[in-house]
């Protein structure tokens, strides 16, 4: 058997190549998983853009200097097992390499899942190392795997952003400014924030996405990037930056003199990503979802956190799939070449904002 992998040049994300390698025998305690479907979104571009800063390249090392594997969320099936507590045929949800197969070393196995105990992942955050058995996963539904792969990790981030801001009493502000308002993570955040009494949610986007953002029904107002000066800059506000655009961040900080907090989340504008030097107002702070997970795990316990997430996810996933014209339109891409082409498309930020891309490196 062999494994096909999409490699990405770490310092030039548009440069990719496909490799196929023969599978090596499993060691005792390992399992081999066929990666059957995964989402490819701007979230994965953020993983690549911030790969060195936040250690995303370390999850699935290539052994080749300068080349990395972008992690993806999705589903796989165990096809070979040398672990007594993990059976062939088990279906798993988790964090995979962009490859046709993955080898895991299960540890801390329990009825809900396990963690990958591979030595190179020991120092990485536990949230990304955990794999869930779909047979016992409270968020899993067999009839909407595509929606789960596309939106579940993004929505959990969105839910945690909303929870973090509420936990901080919105830093004294009542107006939230969300860049890249058409992105999936921004939408999930706006969906949650819109349920907060007294919070105004403003979506910032390009002219071509205004109608789409307005159709989502969770932005109180949608403003184009070139019309920022129509908003009162003195009003206390929180900026939630899903774009990672240096130029936009500079304009936001310069115009909004009442900015109470600047939260950096994503990097959908990779070509404009980087430091902005000295900025007026508060220093931008990178939001790291696992830190809020850890806090709420301490506050509420594992079951309390899970119950809240399940309830919120069920509400959100129903909303995005409802109606005669659902917000999310799933598109499938099968095979190595199709996945490679899709990565280039997502990196370029082109395509229909309603589209959700599900890929696999397995042949179509």
């Amino acid at each position: 058997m062999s494994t096909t992998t999409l490699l990405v040049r770490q310092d030039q994300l548009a440069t990719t190549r496909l490799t196929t390698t023969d599978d090596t025998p499993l060691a005792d305690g390992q399992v081999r998983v066929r990666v059957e479907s995964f989402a490819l979104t701007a979230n994965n571009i953020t993983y690549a853009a911030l790969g060195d800063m936040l250690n995303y390249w370390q999850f699935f090392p290539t052994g080749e200097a300068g080349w990395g594997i972008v992690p993806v969320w999705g589903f796989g099936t165990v096809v070979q097992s040398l672990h007594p507590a993990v059976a062939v045929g088990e279906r798993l949800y988790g964090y995979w390499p962009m490859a046709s197969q993955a080898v895991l070393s299960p540890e801390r196995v329990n009825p809900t899942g396990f963690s990958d105990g591979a030595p190179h992942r020991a120092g990485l955050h536990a949230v990304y190392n955990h794999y869930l058995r779909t047979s016992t996963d409270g968020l899993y539904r067999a009839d909407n795997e595509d929606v789960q792969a596309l939106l579940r990790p993004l929505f959990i981030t969105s839910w945690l952003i909303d929870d973090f801001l509420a936990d901080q009493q919105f830093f004294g502000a009542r107006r939230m400014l969300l860049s890249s308002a058409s992105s999936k993570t921004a939408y999930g955040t706006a969906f949650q924030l819109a349920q907060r009494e007294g919070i105004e949610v403003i979506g910032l986007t390009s002219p071509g996405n205004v109608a789409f953002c307005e159709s989502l029904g969770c932005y109180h107002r949608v403003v184009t990037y070139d019309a920022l000066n129509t908003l009162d800059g003195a009003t206390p506000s929180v900026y939630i930056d899903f774009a990672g655009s240096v130029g936009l961040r500079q304009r936001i900080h310069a115009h909004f003199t009442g900015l109470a907090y600047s939260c950096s989340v994503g990097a959908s504008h990779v070509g404009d990503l980087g430091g902005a030097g000295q900025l007026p107002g508060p220093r931008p702070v990178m939001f790291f979802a696992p830190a809020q997970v850890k806090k709420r795990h301490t506050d509420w316990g594992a079951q309390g956190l899970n119950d809240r997430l399940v309830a919120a996810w069920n509400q959100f996933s129903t909303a995005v799939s409802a109606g005669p014209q659902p917000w999310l339109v799933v598109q499938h891409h099968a095979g190595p070449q199709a996945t490679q082409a899709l990565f280039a498309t997502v990196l370029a930020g082109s395509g229909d904002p309603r589209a959700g891309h599900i890929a696999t490196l397995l042949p179509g």
Side-chain angles (χ1 to χ4, degrees):
M1 295 178 65
S2 62
T3 298
T4 300
T5 305
L6 180 66
L7 300 184
V8 176
R9 188 73 192 175
Q10 295 174 351
D11 60 355
Q12 191 176 352
L13 301 184
T15 301
T16 63
R17 63 185 174 91
L18 294 161
T19 65
T20 299
T21 56
D22 292 335
D23 293 338
T24 57
L26 295 181
D28 285 344
Q30 290 186 323
V31 301
R32 196 183 315 276
V33 181
R34 182 174 62 238
V35 182
E36 295 174 333
S37 67
F38 57 82
L40 192 49
T41 72
N43 184 49
N44 304 103
I45 304 305
T46 296
Y47 290 155
L50 303 179
D52 291 323
M53 183 188 305
L54 297 180
N55 300 323
Y56 290 122
W57 295 123
Q58 295 183 28
F59 283 92
F60 307 107
T62 65
E64 289 191 53
W67 290 89
I69 299 173
V70 178
V72 290
W73 292 94
F75 294 91
T77 298
V78 178
V79 293
Q80 186 182 2
S81 176
L82 294 183
H83 195 290
V86 181
V88 170
E90 282 206 60
R91 194 153 179 78
L92 305 171
Y93 170 81
Y95 205 53
W96 307 105
M98 208 180 301
S100 58
Q101 296 188 120
V103 173
L104 305 176
S105 301
E107 66 176 15
R108 297 191 293 276
V109 181
N110 61 46
T112 64
F114 57 81
S115 294
D116 184 11
H120 72 272
R121 294 177 74 163
L124 301 174
H125 206 286
V127 168
Y128 299 110
N129 287 340
H130 196 60
Y131 293 83
L132 296 171
R133 290 168 151 152
T134 61
S135 59
T136 56
D137 179 8
L139 273 71
Y140 179 76
R141 275 176 40 197
D143 63 349
N144 75 348
E145 277 195 0
D146 290 344
V147 173
Q148 293 169 69
L150 281 161
L151 298 182
R152 177 171 169 167
L154 306 183
F155 177 72
I156 290 174
T157 297
S158 298
W159 185 87
L160 290 166
I161 293 167
D162 168 74
D163 179 64
F164 165 75
L165 293 173
D167 197 30
Q168 301 297 322
Q169 299 181 323
F170 300 98
F171 297 90
R174 310 305 291 173
R175 183 173 68 180
M176 306 293 117
L177 306 167
L178 283 66
S179 66
S180 287
S182 65
S183 70
K184 296 174 178 63
T185 312
Y187 170 44
T189 305
F191 184 88
Q192 293 301 114
L193 288 170
Q195 299 176 54
R196 301 281 184 181
E197 187 175 351
I199 295 296
E200 181 185 18
V201 186
I202 296 181
L204 308 177
T205 192
S206 57
N209 286 331
V210 169
F212 170 70
C213 292
E214 290 177 339
S215 74
L216 297 176
C218 53
Y219 293 110
H220 296 102
R221 185 176 173 186
V222 178
V223 177
T224 58
Y225 295 127
D226 59 3
L228 290 177
N229 60 1
T230 63
L231 295 169
D232 176 19
T235 300
S237 306
V238 169
Y239 177 44
I240 311 173
D241 180 11
F242 296 96
S245 167
V246 173
L248 177 59
R249 189 183 305 128
Q250 290 173 329
R251 292 175 57 211
I252 291 285
H253 277 249
H255 176 69
F256 293 97
T257 56
L259 199 62
Y261 188 75
S262 182
C263 180
S264 296
V265 180
S268 61
H269 296 171
V270 174
D272 203 16
L273 180 70
Q278 291 297 111
L279 288 171
R283 179 179 61 87
V285 178
M286 176 64 67
F287 180 76
F288 189 53
Q292 189 68 9
V293 170
K294 183 177 181 179
K295 181 182 187 302
R296 287 315 198 186
H297 191 280
T298 300
D299 293 343
W300 300 329
Q303 191 61 49
L305 174 58
N306 186 70
D307 289 347
R308 287 168 171 83
L309 276 172
V310 168
W313 166 253
N314 287 339
Q315 182 186 19
F316 180 69
S317 62
T318 298
V320 300
S321 305
Q325 199 171 29
W327 166 75
L328 182 67
V329 179
V330 178
Q331 299 179 4
H332 291 90
H333 309 260
Q337 287 75 26
T339 301
Q340 186 178 30
L342 174 61
F343 183 82
T345 298
V346 176
L347 179 65
S350 56
D352 183 351
R354 292 182 184 273
H357 299 290
I358 296 292
T360 177
L361 274 84
L362 297 170

